Amino acid sequence: MSAGPEAVLETQGLTASYGDFQALFGIDLHVRRGETVAIIGANGAGKSTFLRSVVGQLPSAREQVSFEGEPIGHLPAHEIVRRGIALVPEGRLLFPSLSVEENLRMGAYGRRAGPWGIGRVHELFPVLAERRATPGTALSGGEQQMCAIGRALMSNPVLLLCDELSLGLAPVIIRQIYAVLPTIVAEGTTVVVVEQDINQALAVADRVYCFQEGRVSLQGRPEDVSREDVTRAYFGV
Amino acid sequence: MEWLDAIIQGILLGGLYALFATGLSLIFGVMRLVNIAHGDLIVLAAFLGLAMVNGTGVHPLLSLIVTVPVMAAIGYALQRGILNLTLGRDILPPLLVTFGLSIIIQNVLLEVFSADTQRLKAGALETASIAIGDQIAIGWFPLIVFLAALGVIAGLQLMLFRTRLGMAFRATSDDHRTAGLMGIDNRHVFALAMALALGVVALAGTFMAIRTNFSPAIGPARLLYAFEAVIIGGLGSLWGTLAGGVILGVAQAIGAKFHPGGQILAGHVAFLIVLVLRPNGLFPRTRDR
């Protein structure tokens, strides 16, 4: 299936390895402008590896990843964020030496013009305004996740990649965090969420990809894929 | 009164040691790089100052206008060209490469300037002093060095906590991979840190060259003082580094009062005592995660 001209992100035969261990085996995936795409899959399916390849933390070949029609597979992470891709990394990875506000300002280091600034992020997550002077890592897990999302938004990304937003958080917090996605999408941001929580992923996504052992095992619109399809693609049984 | 004088002179000497150590502390803080060539770079800066003064006849302090930016440029190029390639999970490659660099710098200086001891002459400034009472005199030059150390550390501290670049230094120090996701090119940030560090080294080297005799071989001993000041103060803390320099200076001044040969030994003993009582130093900031 061709992505067409409206594709923001497209990968063709994307492979990735950690030393001798190959984690991705030719991923073909595309994301259209304004879409929310979910990537689901079990632990070790290659979801996080995929995101890390897209943002340039893992090396890939020039033509394997293109963004807004241009090949970016060969670029380092710091150049990719300036082109408009931001990642909310797995485990939040806030800077412990920096306050909440400084963490947000760090996100604006490679800033592009756009709607997001400290004020908008504070509107989205008021707790980040209240605790602006606290060290980032002194926040609760959910607040850290909000800070990590805010930090990524500060660069005004065209494409926001979220890795395991729900990891280690209580269900009520997960709902709070997912509740802001529509606001982000309404600003015209294209969103990719990686999730182990299938229900959460299917609820927010326009389209879903399932990864299994480094390959795409299923793709489609949530309403078009059956429970059995998902289970088979997810677990490989 | 004699003791008070010794302590004051020790504190002022501590300013010079703090300048030796500041660059070492900064680059360790930003990129966890232990630069074994640090002392030799101080000596290189001293010889650069000497070449400037001999070549143009300017006052040694005026030569700083050239040596500070030149050393900073050397720092940037050194980091981009060589040291960045050695940084990774393993701490051994940067140690070995900077050790090699230390030997290379010593031998190049020996080749170019010979093994003769040298001195930068600062004219009347060397002996000018302010008399306080009958028995205490504070030399203008040691006072200038100490105030320069205060100024440099206060300036770096402001830079680290009040500017965008300082924030990038701290974020990169925490986690350079995640800093990359923010649009920070860590190779450039590391090179800027080394440029700043060697700018301070130029200052330290010139002050040292006015204060004492120097030759191509004395770098490793300056490295030792710098290390001791950093470790006494606590890794990653610049004000701690100043405190470390002062403790070292005071210990040496007191040691010299007991025995003429006791000066150097007393500094090392003070260092060992701190290491035994507070292995993380007095004001540690850096914790390895």
Side-chain angles (χ1 to χ4, degrees):
Chain A
M1 181 165 59
S2 169
E6 77 275 39
V8 171
L9 177 74
E10 186 165 14
T11 66
Q12 289 178 322
L14 177 63
T15 54
S17 303
Y18 297 98
D20 290 338
F21 175 74
Q22 188 168 358
L24 296 181
F25 299 84
I27 301 279
D28 295 329
L29 181 151
H30 66 270
V31 182
R32 298 192 194 94
R33 194 173 296 278
E35 251 189 336
T36 300
V37 167
I39 300 174
I40 58 173
N43 245 340
K47 309 181 299 294
S48 297
T49 304
F50 174 79
L51 294 188
R52 293 181 60 200
S53 299
V54 169
V55 299
Q57 282 197 331
L58 287 173
S60 46
R62 185 171 185 274
E63 307 291 340
Q64 284 182 349
V65 187
S66 36
F67 178 64
E68 297 192 307
E70 290 191 29
I72 58 160
H74 56 298
L75 296 178
H78 63 91
E79 285 181 30
I80 288 177
V81 64
R82 287 167 192 272
R83 297 206 174 197
I85 302 182
L87 173 69
V88 181
E90 182 180 355
R92 281 73 93 167
L93 304 184
L94 298 182
F95 299 109
S97 310
L98 271 53
S99 68
V100 168
E101 178 132 340
E102 286 175 328
N103 266 284
L104 292 178
R105 290 194 183 284
M106 239 14 263
Y109 198 86
R111 186 183 170 78
R112 301 147 42 83
W116 295 102
I118 286 272
R120 278 304 309 275
V121 169
H122 283 169
E123 271 174 41
L124 200 64
F125 301 116
V127 66
L128 298 182
E130 288 160 28
R131 309 203 58 185
R132 66 179 74 202
T134 318
T137 43
L139 298 175
S140 73
E143 290 164 350
Q144 284 191 29
Q145 191 62 278
M146 294 173 192
C147 189
I149 296 171
R151 185 178 67 176
L153 287 175
M154 288 291 287
S155 69
N156 278 305
V158 172
L159 176 64
L160 180 70
L161 309 175
C162 303
D163 198 354
E164 304 274 11
L165 288 181
S166 60
L167 198 70
L169 300 180
V172 55
I173 306 290
I174 297 173
R175 276 197 295 279
Q176 270 181 32
I177 285 174
Y178 269 93
V180 304
L181 272 190
T183 315
I184 296 170
V185 173
E187 290 292 356
T189 312
T190 307
V191 178
V192 172
V193 291
V194 153
E195 262 303 336
Q196 286 195 50
D197 181 336
I198 301 173
N199 294 329
Q200 195 60 258
L202 295 180
V204 298
D206 299 315
R207 280 189 311 119
V208 61
Y209 285 84
C210 186
F211 284 15
Q212 191 192 318
E213 294 180 350
R215 294 179 172 85
V216 173
S217 55
L218 176 79
Q219 57 173 304
R221 294 190 299 167
E223 56 271 33
D224 296 341
V225 295
S226 70
R227 274 276 141 189
E228 295 73 50
D229 292 340
V230 171
T231 311
R232 198 176 313 118
Y234 195 101
F235 295 108
V237 290
Chain B
M1 279 311 246
E2 239 178 77
W3 286 100
L4 183 64
D5 182 56
I7 288 170
I8 292 174
Q9 306 309 332
I11 291 173
L12 297 180
L13 177 61
L16 181 63
Y17 291 159
L19 280 176
F20 285 168
T22 301
L24 199 68
S25 182
L26 181 72
I27 58 167
F28 180 81
V30 173
M31 60 186 117
R32 303 290 182 277
L33 172 82
V34 176
N35 182 6
I36 302 289
H38 189 77
D40 303 291
L41 288 163
I42 293 173
V43 178
L44 172 67
F47 275 105
L48 267 180
L50 182 76
M52 269 285 294
V53 170
N54 287 350
T56 64
V58 295
H59 191 274
L61 292 184
L62 266 181
S63 74
L64 287 170
I65 296 172
V66 173
T67 51
V68 169
V70 166
M71 286 302 289
I74 290 175
Y76 191 93
L78 185 66
Q79 188 68 37
R80 278 310 283 247
I82 300 174
L83 298 178
N84 274 341
L85 304 176
T86 69
L87 294 174
R89 287 193 182 283
D90 193 353
I91 61 160
L92 203 54
L95 279 178
L96 292 175
V97 168
T98 54
F99 183 62
L101 207 59
S102 155
I103 294 170
I104 292 169
I105 293 171
Q106 285 180 45
N107 282 285
V108 169
L109 290 176
L110 193 63
E111 204 57 47
V112 177
F113 293 97
S114 85
D116 296 347
T117 54
Q118 309 280 357
R119 182 85 185 259
L120 273 184
K121 301 230 167 21
L125 184 62
E126 288 179 35
T127 49
S129 66
I130 315 160
I132 299 172
D134 292 340
Q135 293 178 41
I136 297 177
I138 294 178
W140 268 109
F141 180 67
L143 186 64
I144 289 172
V145 172
F146 187 79
L147 292 178
L150 273 182
V152 162
I153 288 174
L156 284 176
Q157 202 73 16
L158 272 177
M159 185 276 297
L160 279 173
F161 289 92
R162 293 275 183 278
T163 68
R164 201 171 110 96
L165 178 65
M167 208 163 69
F169 277 154
R170 286 184 293 139
T172 309
S173 162
D174 278 348
D175 179 352
H176 70 85
R177 289 183 64 89
T178 304
L181 291 177
M182 309 294 121
I184 293 175
D185 180 358
N186 68 320
R187 296 166 306 176
H188 177 62
V189 166
F190 287 168
L192 286 178
M194 187 57 89
L196 263 174
L198 290 205
V200 178
V201 156
L203 205 60
T206 305
F207 286 155
M208 175 197 75
I210 294 172
R211 193 180 168 110
T212 60
N213 293 331
F214 63 97
S215 72
I218 67 159
R222 307 312 110 172
L223 173 70
L224 195 59
Y225 293 153
F227 261 135
E228 290 182 344
V230 170
I231 290 169
I232 290 172
L235 289 177
S237 160
L238 288 176
W239 288 118
T241 298
L242 178 66
V246 166
I247 288 170
L248 211 55
V250 170
Q252 288 192 355
I254 291 175
K257 280 276 164 217
F258 282 109
H259 186 272
Q263 180 181 357
I264 306 295
L265 182 65
H268 297 325
V269 168
F271 163 69
L272 283 177
I273 290 171
V274 173
L275 203 58
V276 169
L277 298 180
R278 295 283 299 264
N280 288 328
L282 302 176
F283 314 99
R285 266 189 66 86
T286 304
R287 303 228 192 285
D288 270 326
R289 293 184 299 137

